[in-house]
Amino acid sequence: QMCIRDRSYAVWSVLANAYVDLPTFAGVTPYVGGGAGMARPAVTLQHLVTCSANEDEACGFPGGDFGEVITDYELINDVYAKWLPTFAVSAGATYDLTKNIKLDFGYRFQHIMNIDSVLDGANLTDTTLLDNKDSVHSVRVGMRVSTW
């Protein structure tokens, strides 16, 4: 069982997306879209393990000077990560500022499948570390520039 001191969470994702513009009305063009791909959630757990120093090293290094015994425990960072399937759905609208420039307002929901499997083998008693980490809600504002 781990004694967790700190944790962090990060995700990289790559998706192929497709969008469909709906009919334009008064300069506003609504759109819907979706995508599928892979995401790599990574959890870094900083935890303590029992340390037994030998003649060449001391517990707690590099927390103090070399050879200085800080504690009977050693701080370890373990990273648990894996590639998992992910999908996204999007909706929004563009507004024509000029013939070639549009202002884009959109929303995207992305879900990562089977995210709890990232911590397989972590020997954790707290199984809530990834609760509410499997979905991302994004509100986006941008510009579309058409060159033809």
Side-chain angles (χ1 to χ4, degrees):
Q1 173 180 339
M2 285 188 202
C3 175
I4 296 175
R5 298 282 304 266
D6 196 12
R7 61 182 172 252
S8 63
Y9 176 76
V11 176
W12 285 87
S13 59
V14 177
L15 289 90
N17 295 286
Y19 295 91
V20 175
D21 285 340
L22 302 174
T24 301
F25 178 74
V28 176
T29 306
Y31 64 85
V32 294
M38 298 296 286
R40 186 179 184 271
V43 179
T44 302
L45 301 177
Q46 187 179 72
H47 61 95
L48 296 174
V49 294
T50 303
C51 176
S52 46
N54 62 32
E55 293 175 6
D56 297 325
E57 63 183 25
C59 296
F61 185 81
D65 293 331
F66 183 75
E68 178 185 353
V69 176
I70 302 288
T71 180
D72 292 330
Y73 296 96
E74 186 176 3
L75 209 50
I76 300 291
N77 287 314
D78 283 332
V79 178
Y80 298 89
K82 71 167 49 172
W83 285 98
L84 298 169
T86 185
F87 69 87
V89 292
S90 304
T94 62
Y95 177 73
D96 295 338
L97 296 175
T98 68
K99 179 182 172 200
N100 295 331
I101 299 175
K102 298 174 184 266
L103 186 59
D104 186 343
F105 297 96
Y107 167 79
R108 181 171 114 164
F109 170 78
Q110 181 180 347
H111 181 75
I112 302 169
M113 310 294 287
N114 197 25
I115 197 164
D116 290 333
S117 69
V118 171
L119 292 174
D120 287 351
N123 192 24
L124 295 173
T125 55
D126 180 4
T127 59
T128 64
L129 286 175
L130 292 177
D131 284 0
N132 301 316
K133 302 283 191 214
D134 60 351
S135 299
V136 178
H137 300 270
S138 304
V139 175
R140 303 181 295 179
V141 177
M143 303 280 283
R144 288 191 197 181
V145 178
S146 179
T147 57
W148 60 86

